[in-house]
């Protein structure tokens, strides 16, 4: 999951201020501030897995991006702040649950959960602003989180042109977001009903002879079905479909 946050000028960065929390008293996930640090992680009964980063240097003038990425296949739990990784630890098994999802305060206002120090409590409301909270059903790649954390996605260059007598100065602005936007190919296997999911980037998703499901995401994707009964679903870019 990921979100942007901006601190109030009076925020002490203390008191277990909840940015994100979901689950219940037995298990769930959370992102919160406490003791001048930001914590991101999970708990399952008395077993917890959290990563943390010092944020005493953060001011109240700018927005910041935080992401919690859990990869079941790799058994990892990682935290990212403004696109950079600040913690990587072994994950824990968190059972499916139906607890309420909350941004900026504990869920339902009073739901207790386990913090990094195993203290059981409800936390407090976050003193600031939150924007663009997103929960994904897959593990984001490091490159995807880097793109999301780029608050300023442009670079401006100043250059001069001269004919030997007259000189002109101008500026060129480049969108650096596209430096990570490359074409990759995700391919299925022969004889298998594959499900291929795109990322934030431009990709080519190619099925084969099974009944494949191809799901685009961000970027301008090219979805190519195979010989089976395929389902092709576009994303947010300008996608091309070929059956």
């Amino acid at each position: 999951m990921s979100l942007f946050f901006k601190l109030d000028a009076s925020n002490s960065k203390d008191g277990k201020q909840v940015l994100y929390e979901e689950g219940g008293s037995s298990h769930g996930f959370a992102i919160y501030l406490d003791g001048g640090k930001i914590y991101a992680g999970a708990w399952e009964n008395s077993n917890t897995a959290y990563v943390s980063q010092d944020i005493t240097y953060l001011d109240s003038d700018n927005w910041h991006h935080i992401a919690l990425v859990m990869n079941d296949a790799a058994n990892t739990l990682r935290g990212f702040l403004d696109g950079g990784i600040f913690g990587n630890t072994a994950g824990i098994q968190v059972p499916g649950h139906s607890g309420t999802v909350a941004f900026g305060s504990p869920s339902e206002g009073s739901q207790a959960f386990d913090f990094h120090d195993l203290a059981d409590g409800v936390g407090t409301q976050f003193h600031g602003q939150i924007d663009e909270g997103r929960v994904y059903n897959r593990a984001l790649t490091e490159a995807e989180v880097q793109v999301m954390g780029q608050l300023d996605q442009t670079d401006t260059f100043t250059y001069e042109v001269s004919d030997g007598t007259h000189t002109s100065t101008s500026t060129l602005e480049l969108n650096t977001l596209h430096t990570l936007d490359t074409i990759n190919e995700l391919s299925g296997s022969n004889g298998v009903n594959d499900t291929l999911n795109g990322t934030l980037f431009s990709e080519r998703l190619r099925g084969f002879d099974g009944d494949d499901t191809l799901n685009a995401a961000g970027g301008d994707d090219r979805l190519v079905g195979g010989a089976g009964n395929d389902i092709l679903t576009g994303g947010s870019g300008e996608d091309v479909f070929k059956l």
Side-chain angles (χ1 to χ4, degrees):
M1 75 82 47
S2 77
L3 58 84
F4 288 89
F5 69 96
K6 187 176 182 181
L7 301 165
D8 281 348
S10 60
N11 194 316
S12 65
K13 309 181 185 75
D14 201 1
K16 293 183 169 66
Q17 299 177 44
V18 176
L19 286 167
Y20 171 82
E21 188 264 313
E22 61 99 343
S25 58
S26 297
H27 37 257
F29 307 98
I31 300 175
Y32 61 91
L33 313 183
D34 188 37
K37 294 183 178 181
I38 190 165
Y39 291 86
W43 72 93
E44 199 281 316
N45 289 320
S46 60
N47 189 18
T48 63
Y50 280 99
V51 291
S52 65
Q53 166 70 29
D54 177 86
I55 58 168
T56 54
Y57 64 93
L58 295 186
D59 57 36
S60 59
D61 297 327
N62 300 295
W63 284 91
H64 298 279
H65 180 260
I66 178 76
L68 168 62
V69 178
M70 294 153 288
N71 189 322
D72 179 63
N75 190 33
T76 58
L77 184 151
R78 299 188 294 172
F80 295 82
L81 182 63
D82 293 335
I85 185 169
F86 66 78
N88 186 351
T89 189
I92 60 175
Q93 185 174 0
V94 178
H97 48 271
S98 57
T100 303
V101 175
F103 291 91
S105 68
S107 63
E108 302 179 7
S110 60
Q111 178 61 65
F113 64 95
D114 288 337
F115 296 96
H116 66 282
D117 54 7
L118 294 181
D120 187 47
V122 298
T124 61
Q125 292 184 342
F126 170 64
H127 301 297
Q129 302 175 62
I130 295 175
D131 197 11
E132 296 189 32
R134 301 178 179 180
V135 180
Y136 295 85
N137 63 355
R138 63 177 179 83
L140 297 175
T141 67
E142 187 169 344
E144 288 178 307
V145 179
Q146 287 174 348
V147 169
M148 299 168 104
Q150 290 178 359
L151 299 181
D152 183 3
Q153 299 173 353
T154 60
D155 277 338
T156 301
F157 302 89
T158 301
Y159 63 95
E160 293 183 348
V161 177
S162 175
D163 61 2
T165 303
H166 302 93
T167 300
S168 176
T169 301
S170 187
T171 59
L172 175 66
E173 189 174 88
L174 298 179
N175 186 344
T176 59
L177 175 64
H178 293 289
T179 60
L180 290 174
D181 199 0
T182 57
I183 295 292
N184 298 311
E185 178 162 320
L186 302 176
S187 299
S189 303
N190 286 322
V192 177
N193 298 330
D194 295 300
T195 298
L196 304 178
N197 297 310
T199 67
L200 296 177
F201 308 117
S202 299
E203 287 152 329
R204 182 181 294 107
L205 282 65
R206 183 187 299 273
F208 279 95
D209 58 356
D211 297 335
D212 303 315
T213 300
L214 312 182
N215 301 313
D220 300 333
D221 302 312
R222 182 179 178 87
L223 289 75
V224 182
N229 296 319
D230 302 321
I231 299 175
L232 282 58
T233 305
S236 59
E238 297 182 1
D239 303 320
V240 177
F241 301 86
K242 182 178 180 181
L243 296 174

